[in-house]
Amino acid sequence: MTYLVSHLLQLQKKVFRKAFRQKALETHPDKLSPYLSEVEKHAAEARFHQIASAVDTLGDPLKRKSYDAGLQAKANFQLAQAQRTKERQEWARQQEEVHQARMKELRERNVQIKANLQNQVSAARQKEEVLRKLLADMDSLTPEWRLRKELAEKRKAARSQPSS
């Protein structure tokens, strides 16, 4: 079994080297057409350096392990970030529900208060009308009542004025 694993690893390395050589030949700056623009030359050179860096990383077991750990850390970070985003959205949704419930409660309360006030105003107007009728009846039945009221108000005003 160890021989089989070893043989597969050797085969993998050969395939890997062959693929690298092919990509290196395709993107090597010395192998590019002389008619390419500067932008295309820089892009090809950057691609060649990326391939060389990838081969360096994948060829060295320690660098590969470090690279894989970095990928795993990035994936874990992205998962955690997605989870936090989901939790924040859920919290915001819950807060919006609470807000809407409070606003509904306040609107209903305001409607009740308004109806209550309208009822009180209506009752006060009815009482005022009853009092006006009562005063009108008292004036028509006993006209001297108004005179006595005016005299009582004058005496009260005279008592409240300071003596000089």
Side-chain angles (χ1 to χ4, degrees), residues 30-113:
D30 294 342
K31 302 287 183 182
L32 296 175
S33 168
Y35 303 110
L36 291 178
S37 68
E38 285 297 316
V39 174
E40 291 171 326
K41 286 180 183 178
H42 284 299
E45 193 173 313
R47 182 76 179 136
F48 177 76
H49 287 297
Q50 284 178 335
I51 292 169
S53 175
V55 167
D56 183 41
T57 301
L58 295 174
D60 183 357
L62 290 176
K63 286 183 181 179
R64 184 176 184 144
K65 190 172 186 176
S66 174
Y67 178 77
D68 289 344
L71 286 179
Q72 186 62 39
K74 185 176 181 181
N76 289 344
F77 175 77
Q78 289 172 341
L79 284 174
Q81 187 72 13
Q83 181 64 28
R84 281 192 296 274
T85 301
K86 185 178 176 183
E87 288 170 358
R88 286 177 183 149
Q89 289 171 343
E90 177 61 21
W91 178 84
R93 186 191 63 74
Q94 289 174 353
Q95 291 303 308
E96 183 62 25
E97 284 179 4
V98 168
H99 171 72
Q100 291 301 327
R102 286 179 184 161
M103 291 304 293
K104 181 180 178 185
E105 182 182 321
L106 284 174
R107 283 188 210 103
E108 290 170 356
R109 189 169 158 221
N110 283 343
V111 166
Q112 289 174 349
I113 290 172

Side-chain angles (χ1 to χ4, degrees), residues 23 29 33 52 75 102 116 125:
K23 282 292 182 185
S33 168
R102 286 179 184 161
N116 224 1
R125 284 184 180 153

